[in-house]
Amino acid sequence: MSQEIENTIIRLTESLKQHNYNYYVLAMPTISDREFDQKLKELEALEVAYPAYKQPNSPTSMVGGAVTKDFNTVQHDVPMLSLGNTYSKEELFDFDNRIKKLIGEGYEYTCELKFDGLAIGIKYENGKMIRALTRGDGVQGDDVTVNVQTIRSIPHQLIGDYPSEVEVRGEIFMHRKAFDKMNADRVSSGEKAFANPRNSAAGTIKMQEQSEVAKRPLDAFLYQVIGDEKEFKSHNGALVKAKSWGLPVNGDMKIEEGIEGVWRFIEQWDVKRKTLSYDIDGIVIKVNDFNQQHDLGFTAKSPRWAIAYKFETERASTVLESISYQVGRTGAVTPVANLSPVQLLGTTVKRASLHNADVIEELDVRVGDTVYVEKGGEIIPKIVGVNMEERSAKSSKTVFIHSCPECETELTRTDGEAAHYCPNELGCPPQIKGRIEHFISRKALNIDSLGEGKISMLYNAGLLSTPADLFTLTFEELNGLSKSVTNEDTGETRLISLREKSAQKIIEGIEASKEISFDRVLYGIGIRFVGSTVAKKLANHFKTIDAIEQASLEELIAVEEIGEKIGQSVVEFFSKALNQQMVDSLKESGLQMQQADNEALISTSLEGLKIVVSGVFEKYSRNDLKAEIEKHGGQNVGSISAKTSFVLAGDNMGPAKLAKAEKLGVKVISELEFIEMING
Ligand code: IVH
């Protein structure tokens, strides 16, 4: 028995340490906060009952976290502690009772939103930002000052009557919309999507390249002031002051005299949080008066004067029917859970991500299990746990596939990487088709007469295996080409043929793509980590594909915003004979392989203008119009505001947009007027 208890303690300790590492260092948690807290409480209880078995450096006596290696590690002036969590009304009222017992009646609470990001401590001397540290292990953190300086809402210089030395602490996060947009861009350039805004913010702040950080939409709220002189009597007073120094302090904060009022605030925000533009995962309750905070003091890990109430994440339980494996353009294999359909936050969920082999192992998820599915900030729902009580005795452990589900090649996995890869780059159908789909996609060669279905058809007919093959296709080969399609519901199979008109359009689309600018061709050829922005940078700098091909790693990384990872990927791409052949063949087909002279600014006629392009146009595609705007020195913006110079409107521009433009007095001009404007 005692051996069993000791083993359980060891197992829990190791598992919690790993989860801490996943959360704080990798910024990739694999279990929910609630499950983490449950495990931690289980371990705490066992350690209290069997102190002899408590392991050295147990996660129960640490704040959590660790320090990442590539930043300077700096000691916090005042340790950066975390908060105790509660998940129920009962636990919250227990907290209030503890406070009452310790300091008697006559206290008030501040209720604040609990922002779901990563903690930061920023030090100002004589009003100037001198240092920003992550929490790290609570005692020392990473010096990420250069990255924090890219966040627009955080001032480099305070204003007003700030103290000569002060540290403010808060949370860095990402707005959901900005996160979605950023993720969509990542996916379309073949990069891995971030799981949610919090991971994305945490990953971003630890990036080595400041210029990359600057491009990511980070924001912050500050919620604690640490200063030598206690000029303020209360936490609320300190935050009001901090706001007057120009710091971003959230306005949705309330003072409540009793715990009942606190509970009402929590209930309100559990509903209202869905209307916020960013994620919060709970409410933080703090005793307001600084003297009372002082009297209450701290435990080893957290203040006694504050607590975090965590909201329930929306979760459903359903049966895992099977696991399938998807192979992407880069060969990465992603396990996907096929579920019995279940309702979650108003949508029917049938599939959920299982991420990779480590996650399957960690959750010990098996086909036939009843699993819990959550939908947080994630793009697709994820499985967060298994209901072990409902596990069938007959179930067997999931074994991650060894060979590619598409081409049967043995999968590889590099040490330290989570994903399995199919190395059969040149023979694995989804990789081949994926590369061609990427090549013709909107931001690349934009051949919209082709799509996934037609590419599949051409591939199956043996007409297409690299993007270069597109340029040898003939009308005769395409006309009448057919494929059989099976109706999923009826099982019926019928033959679909490519009509003359479609065949003609495809040929025309391919021909027209020869005019597409060099940077988009470069993006289209699918070099890993070369998204459209990086492609533009490379094209602008090197001017020709030959120059990029011949560039050394040092020359590549000397380009602004090109780091080691991208540089290495470019070198590797061109070191492969087959890629060189493809590029040569594309060159021979007449694609733009050098920066056109006119791609530099044609004129400055639109300089300083912020332009929204909306609707469908007659003469140009929307992308072409946007490119024209840039070539004439203008700036493309996504939504209409008072700062918009004008809206370039085509057909089908939404009535809401039109009304907004009218309301703000923003001019709306037609395609024709625009053409006149840039030509004259
Ligand atoms: S106060 C002594 N206030 O939640 C700890 N924390 O474990 C003082 N957080 O690490 C923290 N919103 O990163 C506080 N309004 C808020 C917060 C907040 C988010 C984070 C913070 C902290 C974690 C709690």
Side-chain angles (χ1 to χ4, degrees):
M1 177 65 187
S2 62
Q3 185 58 49
E4 225 170 78
I5 288 163
E6 185 177 3
N7 288 343
T8 309
I9 290 181
I10 293 174
R11 186 175 52 76
L12 275 169
T13 306
E14 290 313 311
S15 153
L16 284 163
K17 276 187 187 169
Q18 180 64 42
H19 286 306
N20 263 336
Y21 181 78
N22 293 348
Y23 188 100
Y24 289 105
V25 181
L26 303 181
M28 291 257 185
T30 55
I31 60 170
S32 68
D33 291 358
R34 173 175 283 231
E35 276 157 329
F36 181 89
D37 287 335
Q38 272 163 0
K39 277 186 189 229
L40 194 72
K41 276 190 182 154
E42 196 184 330
L43 180 60
E44 253 164 1
L46 284 170
E47 285 175 351
V48 170
Y50 305 95
Y53 298 143
K54 183 169 170 173
Q55 302 295 302
N57 293 332
S58 167
T60 58
S61 37
M62 295 195 295
V63 174
V67 184
T68 38
K69 57 177 180 307
D70 300 325
F71 290 97
N72 279 337
T73 305
V74 179
Q75 180 116 0
H76 292 292
D77 293 345
V78 176
M80 219 166 168
L81 301 178
S82 90
L83 293 172
N85 288 331
T86 93
Y87 291 93
S88 68
K89 187 175 178 182
E90 200 188 341
E91 284 174 351
L92 178 75
F93 279 61
D94 285 350
F95 162 76
D96 183 52
N97 284 332
R98 284 198 299 275
I99 301 279
K100 211 176 291 167
K101 240 193 202 156
L102 289 166
I103 57 170
E105 304 276 349
Y107 51 89
E108 54 183 22
Y109 291 117
T110 57
C111 305
E112 288 164 45
L113 307 187
K114 185 172 187 304
F115 314 106
D116 197 10
L118 79 144
I120 195 81
I122 309 171
K123 209 166 152 180
Y124 287 90
E125 260 175 32
N126 300 318
K128 194 172 166 342
M129 184 197 299
I130 57 147
R131 196 188 73 185
L133 300 181
T134 63
R135 178 158 72 174
D137 61 6
V139 176
Q140 47 183 14
D142 290 330
D143 183 342
V144 290
T145 316
V146 284
N147 289 349
V148 169
Q149 281 172 339
T150 69
I151 303 175
R152 285 192 201 97
S153 52
I154 303 181
H156 294 199
Q157 174 67 46
L158 300 179
I159 51 171
D161 62 337
Y162 50 79
S164 57
E165 221 177 271
V166 68
E167 180 177 344
V168 284
R169 288 180 179 175
E171 200 85 352
I172 292 177
F173 64 93
M174 212 176 257
H175 292 269
R176 263 195 306 271
K177 250 206 189 127
F179 165 77
D180 287 341
K181 184 174 173 303
M182 187 194 87
N183 241 358
D185 285 350
R186 284 176 71 85
V187 172
S188 75
S189 50
E191 290 172 74
K192 206 166 151 277
F194 281 111
N196 53 45
R198 182 194 55 211
N199 290 1
S200 167
T204 301
I205 213 68
K206 291 187 177 170
M207 287 175 77
Q208 299 292 320
E209 283 176 61
Q210 188 198 25
S211 55
E212 256 318 297
V213 181
K215 279 193 261 161
R216 306 269 182 93
L218 294 176
D219 203 345
F221 282 127
L222 300 169
Y223 48 64
Q224 201 180 5
V225 180
I226 297 173
D228 262 351
E229 316 99 309
K230 273 269 138 71
E231 299 171 35
F232 345 94
K233 292 199 163 36
S234 68
H235 171 60
N236 182 61
L239 289 188
V240 170
K241 264 279 177 230
K243 191 163 187 173
S244 78
W245 303 331
L247 291 163
V249 175
N250 184 270
D252 290 313
M253 176 179 178
K254 203 169 174 213
I255 297 179
E256 288 289 350
E257 280 180 11
I259 200 71
E260 290 291 349
V262 172
W263 181 245
R264 276 196 298 279
F265 185 89
I266 290 173
E267 283 188 317
Q268 275 166 9
W269 276 102
D270 198 4
V271 179
K272 248 169 65 183
R273 68 185 159 122
K274 288 163 193 138
T275 64
L276 290 170
S277 64
Y278 48 86
D279 288 336
I280 59 170
D281 60 343
I283 298 294
V284 179
I285 301 111
K286 301 171 188 165
V287 170
N288 191 23
D289 186 280
F290 277 147
N291 283 332
Q292 287 172 335
Q293 282 192 4
H294 184 258
D295 291 346
L296 286 159
F298 296 83
T299 69
K301 282 188 300 175
S302 50
R304 282 201 193 85
W305 41 264
I307 199 157
Y309 177 90
K310 301 269 280 239
F311 294 132
E312 277 260 26
T313 19
E314 309 260 355
R315 152 191 293 216
S317 91
T318 185
V319 174
L320 173 63
E321 291 184 340
S322 62
I323 298 176
S324 48
Y325 296 85
Q326 282 178 349
V327 186
R329 159 167 83 89
T330 60
V333 178
T334 312
V336 177
N338 300 304
L339 307 164
S340 293
V342 63
Q343 285 295 313
L344 187 61
L345 283 171
T347 56
T348 308
V349 174
K350 291 189 207 147
R351 285 147 69 81
S353 174
L354 275 168
H355 300 287
N356 54 47
D358 290 343
V359 172
I360 294 181
E361 174 81 32
E362 171 70 49
L363 296 169
D364 184 21
V365 59
R366 303 175 182 195
V367 171
D369 274 348
T370 298
V371 293
Y372 300 113
V373 194
E374 264 183 22
K375 209 172 170 188
E378 289 80 7
I379 320 150
I380 57 168
K382 61 174 187 175
I383 292 188
V384 293
V386 174
N387 182 345
M388 292 297 176
E389 283 169 19
E390 290 193 23
R391 168 164 287 173
S392 150
K394 288 195 221 115
S395 78
S396 54
K397 205 167 167 61
T398 301
V399 182
F400 201 89
I401 50 170
H402 294 293
S403 55
C404 174
E406 302 281 344
C407 70
E408 292 175 13
T409 306
E410 197 174 325
L411 301 181
T412 56
R413 195 183 196 194
T414 315
D415 274 352
E417 272 203 40
H420 281 76
Y421 280 90
C422 167
N424 184 15
E425 243 177 274
L426 302 171
C428 180
Q431 296 188 54
I432 298 171
K433 288 190 273 184
R435 283 194 294 269
I436 301 170
E437 281 159 23
H438 173 75
F439 185 74
I440 61 139
S441 64
R442 200 173 40 83
K443 286 205 290 190
L445 280 281
N446 193 24
I447 309 178
D448 57 5
S449 47
L450 278 173
E452 208 180 313
K454 287 186 185 123
I455 285 175
S456 214
M457 195 182 218
L458 294 169
Y459 170 76
N460 291 338
L463 293 171
L464 209 54
S465 62
T466 81
D469 295 340
L470 285 168
F471 298 90
T472 60
L473 288 174
T474 63
F475 174 78
E476 288 69 32
E477 279 172 327
L478 295 170
N479 191 17
L481 198 71
S482 51
K483 68 168 173 181
S484 57
V485 202
T486 309
N487 181 318
E488 267 186 36
D489 298 325
T490 60
E492 230 176 298
T493 302
R494 62 197 180 94
L495 219 56
I496 297 186
S497 304
L498 215 56
R499 287 173 219 263
E500 205 177 308
K501 211 170 156 193
S502 304
Q504 191 54 40
K505 275 198 159 164
I506 294 174
I507 295 290
E508 282 166 13
I510 293 172
E511 198 50 38
S513 74
K514 293 181 184 167
E515 301 304 318
I516 294 286
S517 58
F518 170 49
D519 61 299
R520 284 168 63 181
V521 176
L522 185 61
Y523 166 69
I525 61 177
I527 307 171
R528 228 174 144 195
F529 309 124
V530 177
S532 53
T533 317
V534 169
K536 271 198 189 107
K537 291 258 144 47
L538 289 171
N540 275 336
H541 184 89
F542 289 101
K543 309 285 185 222
T544 71
I545 193 89
D546 294 337
I548 298 176
E549 196 170 336
Q550 282 152 21
S552 65
L553 180 62
E554 289 68 33
E555 284 164 337
L556 286 161
I557 60 179
V559 181
E560 191 198 1
E561 296 189 26
I562 308 293
E564 189 108 347
K565 188 173 81 172
I566 299 172
Q568 250 155 11
S569 172
V570 173
V571 170
E572 196 188 319
F573 181 90
F574 287 107
S575 70
K576 291 185 182 162
L578 279 156
N579 289 334
Q580 281 170 14
Q581 268 170 30
M582 176 184 71
V583 169
D584 287 345
S585 171
L586 290 174
K587 224 188 278 176
E588 275 166 31
S589 306
L591 288 190
Q592 304 294 320
M593 289 299 186
Q594 58 185 33
Q595 181 97 312
D597 288 338
N598 62 0
E599 246 151 65
L601 275 193
I602 296 177
S603 82
T604 49
S605 57
L606 303 178
E607 198 170 18
L609 302 184
K610 292 189 163 62
I611 304 164
V612 173
V613 183
S614 178
V616 182
F617 297 86
E618 229 176 275
K619 292 203 160 24
Y620 291 97
S621 73
R622 212 175 15 224
N623 277 345
D624 288 342
L625 285 172
K626 286 186 175 174
E628 284 301 313
I629 289 174
E630 280 175 12
K631 282 189 213 160
H632 289 271
Q635 193 187 341
N636 287 295
V637 290
S639 58
I640 304 171
S641 74
K643 290 194 188 131
T644 308
S645 312
F646 63 82
V647 179
L648 172 51
D651 290 334
N652 297 342
M653 174 174 159
K657 266 196 180 158
L658 208 59
K660 188 164 183 195
E662 261 170 29
K663 195 176 146 204
L664 295 171
V666 174
K667 213 159 111 192
V668 177
I669 73 162
S670 70
E671 184 178 14
L672 220 65
E673 285 171 304
F674 175 74
I675 295 169
E676 276 173 15
M677 192 170 181
I678 55 174
N679 288 337

